[in-house]
Amino acid sequence: MSKPLHSSVKPSLIVRSLQPENQETPIQFINGDTIDPNLFYRRNHFSYPLLTSSNYWLPINGSVEIPRLFSMQEILNIPSKMIKLVLECSGDKRGLFEPKVFGEQWQKGAISQGYWKGVPLRALLELTGIKKGAKEVVVEGFDYGKRTDSDQVYSFSRSLPLDKALHPDTIIAYEYNNQPIPLKHGFPLRLIVPQWYAMASVKWIKQIRVIESEFQGPFQVIDYVYYPNRENNIDTLPVTTINVNSTIQKPLDREVLTTGFHFINGIAWTGNGVIIKVEVSTDGGKSWSDAKITNQKKGNYEWISWTFEWPALEKGEYTIMTKATDSFNRTQPASPFWNRKGYGYNSVDKIKIKIE
Amino acid sequence: MSKPLHSSVKPSLIVRSLQPENQETPIQFINGDTIDPNLFYRRNHFSYPLLTSSNYWLPINGSVEIPRLFSMQEILNIPSKMIKLVLECSGDKRGLFEPKVFGEQWQKGAISQGYWKGVPLRALLELTGIKKGAKEVVVEGFDYGKRTDSDQVYSFSRSLPLDKALHPDTIIAYEYNNQPIPLKHGFPLRLIVPQWYAMASVKWIKQIRVIESEFQGPFQVIDYVYYPNRENNIDTLPVTTINVNSTIQKPLDREVLTTGFHFINGIAWTGNGVIIKVEVSTDGGKSWSDAKITNQKKGNYEWISWTFEWPALEKGEYTIMTKATDSFNRTQPASPFWNRKGYGYNSVDKIKIKIE
């Protein structure tokens, strides 16, 4: 008469806000090699623009030799490349800062991974040519609206310095995981900037402009800037490269477990180089052991998965911590680099569990 | 070419764990009079039992004059009543306790409201009769499994003292919002106990037993007990009546708003009597003003909605707090009653926002 009900339990995103839509992935479901579109975190500043590809043209203008309008067909005719990479919101883990900061209170799930296919931005810029005084490439999205700090309407626009724009792996993508890019993730074209936090990977590209100055848009010079001081704007730094980081996916924080052997699992990633070591502590940081890295990365921009078998033989409360180190010897700090807008949190990951 | 994309943004539950399934409602979507089954929080100790009503019988036995097996048809033939009530998990808001406690880290969304229709438990017990020495009524659910603290298998069972079991509004429900009870919320029969935290409202009823002693099941004497001390089991109290409480639904914690008039909205509820007052502070508790109660409750077991229009004319950071008071003059405390398993959190609700 009674049997377990299987398979009807489906994971879904965790809502942070609906207008604009901001939702994150429950970390226990980041277990695959790539994230399905339905579990891909969503981070927006404005309403979704609704675009069709039938009449889509990509303009490239500004400080170029020949301004051009590229049709989708022209773009599809250029040799493509596929890149597997981590996209992490620079506000990922913002909710963990102490003292707390304002803005979306992301926990640990504003991160994703998948295959993006498209053409190098460099290939398009070779077709337009770049003038001598060129300094930055501004990519504008179709999403726009009012910010809380101004009455003006802005589109979401970001610039890249020329060397990053011309990097062969900086692509104008048209497919995600072998499908057209989902509407909520940038259809029909999205800039993909490996190694940088995901604000750089502008969605729904409207136009690309080469400029001879430093771009001053609010998403460049107000947001996505590290402000180390609460009360002033001294010593600021732009948010760019992803910090070395790790997340414990299992067990969950504050979980109660039985005595016995448990697997502690998670992921680790970095914006520069590759992860070479993940250490785990089950005694609150007094001692550390190496976790086993269970997948060897094929590309340079992927997260690694790690696991650690823990003999939890004594009842009690345990603080479990993880610390990743990358090939540039960068490692996760014991306490986060606090900044007023809450970007780039990468302190040692920490959960507390109870064995009973 | 670009227009806003509407209607594709749907709220969903926030996953706390999947096996067993524990999910809560994002508080910003608790805006209706009743909660749809797809947004109704889910709290389970074990796997879902899968029941059909075709061969369902409800046994009532133990210290009764005539043990009986009731068919669904017999139950449906008894005069029914419909009750609109709040069901709140006693662990609602557990994640807010400081120092933190173990268990599911519920935020503010383990609460629901709707119409339950069924027959008074009292009507069934009048048909079986109750023996003189009877003390409690034990209701057992079809869900069962192992606990972390024992190797034995237990079903989820809870007892009610005789007076609560015989209260005319304590019902054996077969409908939720005019539909058969959803599979995940107790189909085909669920005990509904108004005014008590929802652990008392046993789902998937397997049998009802009248006993002459105090029930000693683990969900009665280990869980759902207030343990005021971290290190010992002194001064414990059973978890029963819902505490007076309120939740701010809008704005969200750590939201950034523009200067101007804003509505602060939320709900308030209590297990005993009715809410007579909700106060709001926008200066961290220094001064308080009455919020406007926007719906008059028709029943005794419902939450009320409240709103407060706030002229936020100066930029800065604000701590917004709410405090509900009920007709027994119970009010929300300034700091929560800490207890080791984290039940009954009802401290003044508090969020922090920024006006810029």
Side-chain angles (χ1 to χ4, degrees):
Chain A
M1 179 140 179
S2 161
K3 58 174 186 167
L5 177 65
H6 289 300
S7 80
S8 65
V9 182
K10 273 193 302 193
S12 55
L13 293 168
I14 298 170
V15 182
R16 295 281 161 230
S17 70
L18 279 193
Q19 287 180 326
E21 190 182 25
N22 286 299
Q23 302 208 47
E24 69 178 282
T25 313
I27 48 161
Q28 60 267 48
F29 308 123
I30 303 179
N31 42 18
D33 202 35
T34 69
I35 301 291
D36 279 347
N38 65 319
L39 279 180
F40 192 155
Y41 78 94
R42 300 169 187 167
R43 201 282 176 257
N44 293 288
H45 295 85
F46 304 120
S47 298
Y48 287 109
L50 183 56
L51 301 168
T52 57
S53 60
S54 57
N55 59 351
Y56 182 85
W57 295 83
L58 172 64
I60 299 188
N61 52 44
S63 187
V64 294
E65 303 293 346
I66 317 152
R68 288 278 299 263
L69 266 180
F70 291 94
S71 70
M72 277 304 274
Q73 194 53 56
E74 283 176 284
I75 292 170
L76 294 170
N77 286 345
I78 296 171
S80 67
K81 74 195 299 178
M82 176 122 83
I83 294 170
K84 185 178 177 189
L85 87 164
V86 166
L87 279 182
E88 185 188 12
C89 173
S90 57
D92 191 28
K93 304 192 180 185
R94 177 184 288 140
L96 307 182
F97 275 108
E98 288 292 344
K100 283 193 168 296
V101 298
F102 290 94
E104 303 291 335
Q105 295 299 294
W106 300 106
Q107 297 297 306
K108 305 174 186 175
I111 186 168
S112 191
Q113 180 167 276
Y115 292 93
W116 295 87
K117 182 178 164 184
V119 299
L121 172 55
R122 179 188 192 104
L124 299 178
L125 292 171
E126 280 168 358
L127 293 171
T128 62
I130 292 175
K131 285 198 177 156
K132 227 179 176 164
K135 234 179 157 173
E136 293 189 347
V137 179
V138 179
V139 180
E140 180 181 359
F142 267 105
D143 49 330
Y144 66 93
K146 267 167 89 168
R147 292 167 51 91
T148 51
D149 57 3
S150 156
D151 280 334
Q152 241 182 285
V153 167
Y154 291 96
S155 58
F156 186 81
S157 296
R158 290 271 317 172
S159 75
L160 291 177
L162 222 46
D163 60 336
K164 193 72 183 168
L166 296 176
H167 188 286
D169 290 341
T170 295
I171 62 171
I172 306 293
Y174 45 76
E175 281 186 9
Y176 177 68
N177 286 356
N178 298 307
Q179 297 291 327
I181 298 175
L183 282 179
K184 295 193 170 182
H185 296 286
F187 180 87
L189 293 184
R190 178 175 189 169
L191 178 66
I192 291 293
V193 184
Q195 301 189 312
W196 282 28
Y197 281 112
M199 74 283 150
S201 294
V202 177
K203 289 171 277 195
W204 312 290
I205 300 175
K206 186 179 181 182
Q207 66 170 325
I208 295 174
R209 207 156 31 90
V210 179
I211 62 174
E212 302 192 351
S213 56
E214 285 182 9
F215 180 58
Q216 298 296 314
F219 297 102
Q220 193 84 22
V221 300
I222 299 176
D223 295 340
Y224 303 114
V225 171
Y226 292 112
Y227 298 89
N229 303 307
R230 176 175 285 276
E231 305 295 350
N232 63 56
N233 295 349
I234 298 170
D235 295 332
T236 60
L237 273 174
V239 174
T240 56
T241 308
I242 294 173
N243 291 325
V244 61
N245 218 330
S246 65
T247 287
I248 302 164
Q249 298 179 274
K250 182 172 165 268
L252 294 174
D253 191 27
R254 297 285 155 183
E255 206 170 328
V256 179
L257 302 170
T258 54
T259 51
F261 284 80
H262 294 284
F263 282 99
I264 303 169
N265 298 332
I267 55 173
W269 65 99
T270 182
N272 233 326
V274 292
I275 294 293
I276 55 161
K277 186 167 67 171
V278 177
E279 292 161 283
V280 176
S281 171
T282 56
D283 56 9
K286 279 185 222 108
S287 67
W288 295 85
S289 308
D290 284 0
K292 192 177 150 196
I293 293 176
T294 56
N295 69 334
Q296 264 327 104
K297 296 206 315 177
K298 279 162 208 129
N300 267 336
Y301 310 135
E302 299 168 44
W303 63 46
I304 59 98
S305 297
W306 52 264
T307 189
F308 181 77
E309 192 176 5
W310 176 40
L313 303 177
E314 275 185 43
K315 296 181 184 196
E317 301 184 6
Y318 294 88
T319 298
I320 298 174
M321 297 162 84
T322 59
K323 183 166 61 177
T325 303
D326 69 20
S327 48
F328 286 85
N329 210 26
R330 299 191 307 170
T331 190
Q332 296 179 250
S335 55
F337 162 60
W338 188 92
N339 61 99
R340 197 168 78 224
K341 292 205 172 209
Y343 299 119
Y345 186 103
N346 79 325
S347 173
V348 158
D349 201 33
K350 191 178 351 186
I351 63 167
K352 214 163 170 184
I353 64 110
K354 187 181 190 176
I355 301 287
E356 70 175 24
Chain B
M1 178 140 178
S2 162
K3 58 175 189 169
L5 176 66
H6 289 301
S7 79
S8 66
V9 182
K10 272 191 303 190
S12 55
L13 293 170
I14 300 171
V15 181
R16 296 279 160 231
S17 69
L18 281 192
Q19 287 180 325
E21 190 182 24
N22 286 298
Q23 302 210 45
E24 70 177 284
T25 313
I27 49 163
Q28 59 266 51
F29 308 122
I30 302 180
N31 43 17
D33 202 35
T34 67
I35 301 291
D36 279 346
N38 64 320
L39 279 179
F40 191 154
Y41 79 92
R42 300 170 188 165
R43 200 286 174 255
N44 294 287
H45 294 85
F46 304 119
S47 298
Y48 287 111
L50 182 57
L51 300 169
T52 57
S53 60
S54 58
N55 59 352
Y56 181 84
W57 296 84
L58 173 62
I60 300 189
N61 51 44
S63 187
V64 294
E65 302 293 347
I66 316 154
R68 290 277 299 261
L69 267 180
F70 290 94
S71 69
M72 278 303 275
Q73 195 51 57
E74 281 175 286
I75 292 169
L76 294 169
N77 286 345
I78 296 169
S80 67
K81 75 195 300 177
M82 176 122 84
I83 294 170
K84 185 179 178 189
L85 87 163
V86 167
L87 279 183
E88 184 187 13
C89 174
S90 56
D92 192 26
K93 303 191 180 186
R94 177 183 289 140
L96 309 181
F97 275 108
E98 287 293 343
K100 285 195 167 294
V101 297
F102 290 94
E104 303 291 335
Q105 295 298 295
W106 301 105
Q107 297 297 306
K108 304 173 185 177
I111 186 169
S112 191
Q113 179 168 276
Y115 291 95
W116 295 87
K117 182 176 163 186
V119 298
L121 173 55
R122 180 188 190 102
L124 298 179
L125 291 173
E126 280 168 359
L127 292 172
T128 61
I130 291 176
K131 286 199 175 156
K132 224 172 179 172
K135 230 174 160 175
E136 292 188 347
V137 178
V138 179
V139 180
E140 179 180 358
F142 267 104
D143 50 330
Y144 66 93
K146 266 167 90 167
R147 293 167 51 89
T148 49
D149 58 3
S150 154
D151 281 333
Q152 241 182 285
V153 167
Y154 291 96
S155 57
F156 186 80
S157 297
R158 291 271 317 173
S159 75
L160 292 175
L162 223 45
D163 61 335
K164 193 71 184 169
L166 296 176
H167 188 287
D169 290 342
T170 296
I171 63 171
I172 304 294
Y174 46 76
E175 281 186 10
Y176 177 68
N177 286 357
N178 298 308
Q179 297 290 329
I181 298 175
L183 283 179
K184 295 191 170 184
H185 295 286
F187 180 86
L189 293 183
R190 178 176 189 170
L191 178 66
I192 292 293
V193 184
Q195 301 188 314
W196 281 28
Y197 281 112
M199 75 284 150
S201 293
V202 177
K203 289 170 277 195
W204 311 291
I205 301 176
K206 185 178 182 184
Q207 67 169 327
I208 295 174
R209 207 154 33 89
V210 180
I211 61 172
E212 302 191 352
S213 56
E214 286 182 8
F215 180 58
Q216 298 296 314
F219 297 101
Q220 193 85 22
V221 300
I222 298 177
D223 294 340
Y224 303 115
V225 171
Y226 292 113
Y227 298 89
N229 303 307
R230 178 176 282 276
E231 304 296 349
N232 64 54
N233 295 349
I234 298 170
D235 295 331
T236 60
L237 273 173
V239 174
T240 57
T241 307
I242 293 172
N243 290 326
V244 60
N245 218 329
S246 66
T247 286
I248 302 165
Q249 298 177 275
K250 184 173 163 272
L252 294 176
D253 192 26
R254 297 284 156 181
E255 207 170 329
V256 179
L257 303 169
T258 55
T259 51
F261 284 80
H262 293 284
F263 283 100
I264 302 169
N265 299 331
I267 55 172
W269 66 98
T270 183
N272 232 325
V274 292
I275 294 293
I276 54 162
K277 188 167 66 171
V278 177
E279 293 162 283
V280 176
S281 171
T282 56
D283 57 9
K286 281 187 217 104
S287 67
W288 294 85
S289 308
D290 284 358
K292 191 176 150 199
I293 292 175
T294 56
N295 70 335
Q296 264 327 106
K297 296 205 315 178
K298 280 164 204 127
N300 268 335
Y301 310 135
E302 298 169 44
W303 62 48
I304 59 101
S305 295
W306 53 264
T307 188
F308 181 76
E309 194 177 3
W310 175 41
L313 304 178
E314 278 185 43
K315 297 180 185 196
E317 300 185 6
Y318 294 89
T319 298
I320 300 174
M321 296 161 83
T322 58
K323 182 166 62 177
T325 303
D326 70 20
S327 49
F328 286 86
N329 211 26
R330 299 191 305 169
T331 191
Q332 294 179 251
S335 55
F337 162 59
W338 188 92
N339 60 99
R340 197 168 77 225
K341 290 204 171 211
Y343 298 118
Y345 186 103
N346 79 324
S347 175
V348 159
D349 202 32
K350 191 180 346 186
I351 63 167
K352 214 163 172 185
I353 63 109
K354 186 180 191 176
I355 301 288
E356 71 172 22

